[in-house]
Amino acid sequence: MNTPYSTDGHYIHPSILNADFMSIGSELDKISTADSVHVDVMDNHFVPNLTFGPSMVEQIVERSAIPVDAHLMIDDADTQAPAFAEAGAASVTFHLEAARAPVKLARDLRRKNAQAGVALRPATAVEPLLDIIGEFDMLLIMTVEPGFGGQSFLETMLPKIRRARSAISASNLEVSIQVDGGVSRETIERCAEAGANVFVAGSAIYRAQDAAEEISALRELARTHGSH
């Protein structure tokens, strides 16, 4: 299994939501030095936008030189999420708010050879999740409201990242923390200091003159300021 992240490093996952979909092949090539390609799956129900389905994810998997990290912003994750593991995504993250049986779902995803991630909207507390956090490979803490573009990074999520990292470390668990939303050279240091080690960056990378150079700069900032 291609692993797009582990707990022993700092990883950059560019979001192709910011790519030019008329040239998706070359847009994927632009980010081939990243650790994974982040694919935002939206269903126009859980969030007010509509993007990819499993067949499109499968095509991205086939074309991409790096693993696919699928972030499912969809309702009925229990039923829908396994299809994205079957499509070849190396990591599948579903929202806690959209899952009835998150532990069962995480185990289903792992059985299908995908890493299992669980995501929280900004208003969702991390504490109720901590008793079962060891069932997941990754916790995604949204640093903007999911489904809306062009939002500013929510500084108020930094204490949430710290609490999650502290709890994970105290339990000696190997769980990565991903942040998604407004990640740039200006914000990645604070996220890394708080305990995040996987970083989704969209416009910061795709609007840069040199995507590979931006990926390298972000990774170095995260590594330098990382707290674990």
Side-chain angles (χ1 to χ4, degrees):
M1 174 172 71
N2 281 330
T3 50
Y5 54 80
S6 68
T7 55
D8 61 356
H10 294 83
Y11 303 89
I12 306 298
H13 292 195
S15 167
I16 57 162
L17 208 56
N18 296 84
D20 174 4
F21 290 107
M22 298 304 287
S23 314
I24 195 65
S26 60
E27 293 286 84
L28 286 167
D29 292 341
K30 259 187 210 177
I31 60 166
S32 60
T33 58
D35 301 289
S36 184
V37 52
H38 188 83
V39 179
D40 290 298
V41 177
M42 306 184 195
D43 64 356
N44 204 27
H45 293 285
F46 185 75
V47 291
N49 203 342
L50 187 64
T51 57
F52 316 97
S55 60
M56 182 66 171
V57 169
E58 189 170 8
Q59 290 177 51
I60 294 168
V61 168
E62 288 171 5
R63 180 61 180 78
S64 177
I66 53 178
V68 167
D69 166 29
H71 173 200
L72 310 185
M73 289 170 266
I74 61 174
D75 281 337
D76 194 16
D78 303 78
T79 305
Q80 304 297 325
F84 292 89
E86 290 162 7
S91 173
V92 177
T93 298
F94 59 88
H95 271 262
L96 184 66
E97 303 93 349
R100 292 182 303 278
V103 171
K104 178 182 180 298
L105 179 53
R107 292 178 179 182
D108 287 348
L109 292 170
R110 284 170 153 179
R111 268 196 297 273
K112 293 179 185 294
N113 292 319
Q115 288 184 293
V118 60
L120 302 177
R121 284 181 158 181
T124 302
V126 71
E127 282 73 16
L129 184 62
L130 296 180
D131 287 339
I132 56 169
I133 195 67
E135 293 285 343
F136 304 95
D137 297 293
M138 184 173 73
L139 166 63
L140 166 52
I141 293 177
M142 292 297 298
T143 44
V144 295
E145 286 293 344
F148 299 89
Q151 298 175 78
S152 298
F153 176 83
L154 291 171
E155 297 280 341
T156 47
M157 292 300 102
L158 292 171
K160 188 176 184 177
I161 297 167
R162 285 192 198 97
R163 290 196 304 274
R165 174 53 66 200
S166 176
I168 289 165
S169 298
S171 298
N172 289 316
L173 294 170
E174 294 198 359
V175 181
S176 289
I177 295 179
Q178 183 178 66
V179 287
D180 181 359
V183 174
S184 66
R185 293 195 197 197
E186 286 69 49
T187 58
I188 196 167
E189 296 177 5
R190 277 164 285 164
C191 294
E193 284 167 0
N197 68 302
V198 185
F199 307 88
V200 178
S203 54
I205 289 171
Y206 271 109
R207 288 182 191 160
Q209 263 191 316
D210 185 325
E213 188 179 293
E214 194 65 20
I215 289 164
S216 178
L218 289 169
R219 190 184 282 125
E220 189 55 34
L221 283 169
R223 191 178 291 144
T224 303
H225 294 270
S227 65
H228 77 294

